Amino acid sequence: QKEVEQDPGPLSVPEGAIVSLNCTYSNSAFQYFMWYRQYSRKGPELLMYTYSSGNKEDGRFTAQVDKSSKYISLFIRDSQPSDSATYLCAMSAPTGNQFYFGTGTSLTVIP
Amino acid sequence: AAGVIQSPRHLIKEKRETATLKCYPIPRHDTVYWYQQGPGQDPQFLISFYEKMQSDKGSIPDRFSAQQFSDYHSELNMSSLELGDSALYFCASSLVDSLGSRLHFGNGTRLTVT
């Protein structure tokens, strides 16, 4: 079993919809949580970064971490066609310098 | 802001040939990582360096080796290439600060082995 589980999708939504992307994990030592956006043939781009539990908002994007449930989410409001990409969650622990990735969710926003 | 720079962007090699991929991390980042990503897969960790010393090893084949130089750039050397080595290879760098540590990726090298 992978340390980080993510529904690969694909997910297809109409423009303007609210998108919810989720990951679960098993290692309670994880403290740092990241969401990356990856366009085709490009490197993953750091989108959101959260430390420990709580919410973080940046424009149309909101990252949530629920450590008690070992569950993280990324919400995209007013989704745009330019949001069409693969979204990867990643996490790490304070000790060591390894990062653990989900398999990525492919999102398509239809105009 | 400066990003992670990788070269070449594309590389085509034949089976049993060798390939060298280069990475220039973000200035002042102290850790460099190499990842391999197949189609539709998440990045698979290969190897990392902290302050020019190998720090962690993942699923890197024995045919591959890597090093980090005094100017902090890193190279991934791949020998006896196999068809299955065709993938995107990403370099990433990170710096631990008061907010923790987060990876910044380059745009990758697409390796095709024929």
Side-chain angles (χ1 to χ4, degrees), chain B residues 16-33:
Chain B
R16 293 180 288 277
E17 284 192 318
T18 61
T20 298
L21 280 53
K22 294 187 179 180
C23 168
Y24 294 83
I26 293 173
R28 294 185 299 282
H29 278 201
D30 53 19
T31 308
V32 169
Y33 305 76

Side-chain angles (χ1 to χ4, degrees), chain A residues 56-67:
Chain A
K56 184 176 182 179
E57 190 173 319
D58 183 3
R60 297 184 295 109
F61 299 90
T62 300
Q64 283 187 355
V65 175
D66 182 348
K67 290 195 68 183

